[in-house]
Amino acid sequence: MVSRRAVVAGAVGASVAAAGGAVGYRAWRDREPASPPVHDSEGRLLWRNWSGIQSAYPSERAAPDSEDALVGVLKSAPHPIRPVGAGHSFTALVPTGGTLLTLDRMSGVIDHDGAKLHATVRAGTRLGDLGPALAAIGQEMPNLPDINKQSLGGALGTGTHGTGRAFKAMHGEVTAFRIATPRGDVIACDRTTNADVFHAARVNLGAFGVISEVTIQNRPLKRVLKRTTGRQLGEVIEEWPSLISQHRNVEFYAIPFTGLAALITVDETDKPVSPRGPDTDADAVMELKALRDVAGFLPAVRRGLAQSAFKDLPPDEAVDEGWKLLSNERPVRFNEMEYHLPLERQMVALREVIAAIEKHRADVFFPIEARVIDGDDAWLSPFHDRVCGSIAVHAYYKDDYSFLFDLVEPILRRHGGRPHWGKLHSLKYADFATLYPRFRDAVAVREMLDPEGRMLNDHLRTVFHNG
Amino acid sequence: MKRTILAFVVFVAACSPAAPKRTAEEAAAYALSIKPTDARLGDLYAQSCRTCHTVADTGAPLTGDAASWAPRWKKGMPALLSSTVGGLNGMPAGGQCFSCTPKDYEALIRFMAGHES
C-alpha cells in the first residue's frame, strides 16, 4: 500500500512541477461561480437550486401546515406557484417570480398497515427522515436514490429512482395519493378511484397541483450487505447482464480516462451488522479532480496513475439496514444529465459516451453512473412500459457543463433514451409526445386540474404546451 | 462510488494530518444532542441545517463545534448570510430551507456557531 501511495505521490508531484505554468489557469478555473445578489432590486430574497445554476426571486414564499392551507395557497397565491423540495433538480422546474411553495411543515408518517406493508406519508417528508421512520414500523423502501436529502413529493414528482432489476422507481410503488389542485379541491386517487389522475400525476413535475400525502407499498425491513469493488471497466460492462440478475441492487461508476469502474452491489444477508465507515466519496472525487488538474493533458499518465493506485485494492463492505447504506452524502456539488434507455441499448450507449468524452473533453473527471430500473405504468414515468438502463453523466459545479448537451445528449437520444425530469435535458413538448405513448393524455389531465396554468413557469410551458 | 473506488483517497489520508477520531466523534455526538430552543426555529433547523451540520461526512462545520466555526464567524454575519443564501463550496444555496427568512438564517447561524447570546 505504501509503495502504491508513493507511486501516485511521486507521479503527481512530477506532473505538478512540469505543469507549473498552468497553476494560474487552474486557480482561475477553480474560482467559485458568482452568485446572484442575495436580494433583487425589490428586496426579494434569492432562491437557487442545489448546484447553483437555477435561480429566482419569488415574490412570496409559502409553507402551509395543512391540506386546507395548501389549497388556499394554490387558489390565491401569486403565480406561477412552484413547489420546491430540497432544490436538487437541475432543470428549471422551480424558478418563479410568483410563489415558492415548500411542504416542509407537512411531513411524517401518518398511518401504516403492517399486513399490507403500506405506509401513508406526508409529501414534505425528506427521504433521509423517511428511512428511520419506516424502519420503526418494520418497513423499508428497498430502492432509494443516491442522495436522500430530497422531499418525498419532489422525488416522486420527478421520477427519482434507485437501482435494481426487480425494483421500480419510487413512484412505481405508490398505491394512492391525495392531490390539491389550483381549482381549490383535493382529489383522492388510486388505481380504481380517479384512475386517470392516479396514472397521470404519479410523476407530475409539480405541475398538476401538489400532492399532500402518499401511500407507498413497502417491503419488510431487511439487513443488507453492501460491497464496493474496484474493477476493470471493460469487465464490468461485459458482466452487466449477469450482474443485474445476480444482485438485489447493483450499479457501477465508470471512471473516464482510467479504464476503471467502481461496482456496488447490495444483497440481503444474515451477517452481523458492520456499519459503514466514514464516507470518503468526496475525497475520491476531489482526487480524481487533482489527477485531472495535473495529468489531464497526459492521458496515458492519467490512466497509468489510476491503474497503479487501484491494484490489489480490497473490496469495501458494510452490513446494515438498507436505508443506512443505499443513499450517500454528496457534499461535492455537480450538474448532471441522466437518460433512461432501453436496457439492451445501455452498455452500447455507455461505451459511446465514454469514448466521446475521452476524445473531446479531457476536463471531465466525475464518474459516470449506470443503473437498472424496472418498468412501471405511470404515464409520465421515464420507465413507462419498459425496463431501463440509466446513464448519468456529471460535471463538477465549477466546470463547464455544455458538453452534456453537445456531446452526451445526442448519443443518449439516438439510443432511445428518455431524460430524468429533474436532470438536464433540452427536450420540448414535441419530443415528449413522441417518447411517451400517454403524454397527450397526461397533458389533458393536467389542464383539467390547472385550467389557468397557475402551476406553469417558463420551463414547464415548453414541456406541456405545444409550440 | 464508495471508498474503494480510488486508492487516491488512501493517498490523501496518508499524507494529511488526520484529526483525532475521538474528537470528531464527540463533536458529532454533541451536534446531534442540541437543537434551537425556539420551537419554530427548531423545526426549520430539523428540516434543513441538521441534515448536514450533524453529519461529519458532509464536510459542513458541525453544530456547536467552536473550532470549525471560528474562522467562519470571523467573516462577519453579512458574509455568512450571503454564503448561506447564495451557496458556497459544499453549502447548497439557502441551506435547503426555502421558507427561512434572512432573520431565520441569522438566528440559525448563531445557534450552530455557538453565538446565540
Side-chain angles (χ1 to χ4, degrees), chain A residues 307-327:
Chain A
Q307 288 280 340
S308 296
F310 246 93
K311 191 178 179 186
D312 301 329
L313 205 62
D316 177 43
E317 293 188 352
V319 176
D320 218 324
E321 292 171 357
W323 65 272
K324 297 179 182 178
L325 299 180
L326 289 169
S327 298

Side-chain angles (χ1 to χ4, degrees), chain A residues 87-129:
Chain A
H88 266 272
S89 287
F90 305 96
T91 44
L93 291 173
V94 172
T96 177
T99 301
L100 187 71
L101 169 63
T102 172
L103 296 189
D104 277 355
R105 297 173 73 191
M106 296 175 65
S107 65
V109 175
I110 302 167
D111 196 8
H112 70 279
D113 183 327
K116 292 180 178 176
L117 291 169
H118 284 179
T120 300
V121 183
R122 291 187 183 91
T125 308
R126 300 292 174 103
L127 297 184
D129 294 329

Side-chain angles (χ1 to χ4, degrees), chain A residues 5 9 32 48 86 88 104 107 129 149 228 262 264 277 279-281 287-288 309-310 313-314 329 331 333 397, chain B residues 1-12 14 47 50-51 55 57-58 86 88-93 96 98:
Chain A
R5 289 176 200 155
E32 184 77 12
R48 287 177 99 186
H88 266 272
D104 277 355
S107 65
D129 294 329
K149 306 297 186 195
T228 307
I264 303 170
D279 193 295
T280 54
D281 288 0
E287 285 307 305
L288 282 174
F310 246 93
L313 205 62
E329 299 296 339
R333 289 187 284 154
Y397 81 109
Chain B
M1 202 166 57
K2 278 299 296 174
R3 73 177 83 172
T4 44
I5 74 170
L6 284 179
F8 306 127
V9 178
V10 179
F11 161 65
V12 165
Q47 279 280 11
R50 178 183 60 87
T51 60
V55 182
D57 284 345
T58 64
L88 180 67
N89 294 320
M91 171 74 184
Q96 301 187 322
F98 302 125

Side-chain angles (χ1 to χ4, degrees), chain A residues 47 54 82 89-96 421-422 424 457-460:
Chain A
W47 171 87
Q54 304 292 346
R82 294 305 309 142
S89 287
F90 305 96
T91 44
L93 291 173
V94 172
T96 177
W421 288 110
L424 294 169
N457 64 8
D458 290 345
H459 170 72
L460 287 167

Side-chain angles (χ1 to χ4, degrees), chain A residues 94-375:
Chain A
V94 172
T96 177
T99 301
L100 187 71
L101 169 63
T102 172
L103 296 189
D104 277 355
R105 297 173 73 191
M106 296 175 65
S107 65
V109 175
I110 302 167
D111 196 8
H112 70 279
D113 183 327
K116 292 180 178 176
L117 291 169
H118 284 179
T120 300
V121 183
R122 291 187 183 91
T125 308
R126 300 292 174 103
L127 297 184
D129 294 329
L130 186 53
L134 292 178
I137 55 174
Q139 299 183 16
E140 70 169 4
M141 290 186 293
N143 200 7
L144 287 168
D146 181 64
I147 296 174
N148 64 7
K149 306 297 186 195
Q150 305 94 321
S151 71
L152 179 61
L156 296 171
T158 51
T160 296
H161 62 96
T163 187
R165 172 63 184 83
F167 294 142
K168 297 178 176 65
M170 296 179 63
H171 61 266
E173 300 297 348
V174 169
T175 63
F177 61 81
R178 292 170 62 84
I179 183 168
T181 80
R183 300 183 314 194
D185 53 358
V186 177
I187 300 171
C189 55
D190 57 28
R191 289 189 174 275
T192 56
T193 305
N194 296 310
D196 278 3
V197 176
F198 179 76
H199 290 303
R202 249 179 299 162
V203 177
N204 58 62
L205 288 71
F208 289 64
V210 174
I211 287 180
S212 57
E213 60 184 57
V214 185
T215 301
I216 313 166
Q217 175 67 62
N218 293 314
R219 297 195 179 203
L221 182 63
K222 297 288 185 183
R223 186 180 301 166
V224 297
L225 165 64
K226 179 178 181 180
R227 176 181 283 129
T228 307
T229 313
R231 297 281 307 276
Q232 294 298 315
L233 174 59
E235 294 175 1
V236 174
I237 289 176
E238 289 298 320
E239 294 172 18
W240 185 239
S242 59
L243 287 168
I244 63 176
S245 62
Q246 290 168 5
H247 297 286
R248 195 187 89 156
N249 311 85
V250 59
E251 64 179 318
F252 70 90
Y253 286 88
I255 306 172
F257 300 98
T258 69
L260 296 166
L263 174 66
I264 303 170
T265 61
V266 176
D267 294 289
E268 291 172 11
T269 183
D270 294 325
K271 289 184 175 182
V273 170
S274 173
R276 69 194 306 171
D279 193 295
T280 54
D281 288 0
D283 291 336
V285 169
M286 295 316 288
E287 285 307 305
L288 282 174
K289 177 181 175 297
L291 188 63
R292 182 277 310 265
D293 289 346
V294 299
F297 57 96
L298 296 168
V301 172
R302 189 176 182 180
R303 184 184 179 94
L305 280 172
Q307 288 280 340
S308 296
F310 246 93
K311 191 178 179 186
D312 301 329
L313 205 62
D316 177 43
E317 293 188 352
V319 176
D320 218 324
E321 292 171 357
W323 65 272
K324 297 179 182 178
L325 299 180
L326 289 169
S327 298
N328 304 285
E329 299 296 339
R330 290 286 178 249
V332 179
R333 289 187 284 154
F334 52 80
N335 288 299
E336 180 180 358
M337 173 179 285
E338 182 177 48
Y339 268 66
H340 307 297
L341 296 80
L343 185 58
E344 65 275 13
R345 306 302 304 164
Q346 181 188 22
M347 289 299 109
V348 178
L350 178 62
R351 286 184 192 274
E352 290 183 29
V353 167
I354 294 170
I357 288 173
E358 292 186 349
K359 181 176 181 181
H360 297 289
R361 292 299 297 253
D363 59 320
V364 175
F365 65 88
F366 249 85
I368 301 166
E369 189 176 19
R371 293 183 278 184
V372 58
I373 307 95
D374 196 11

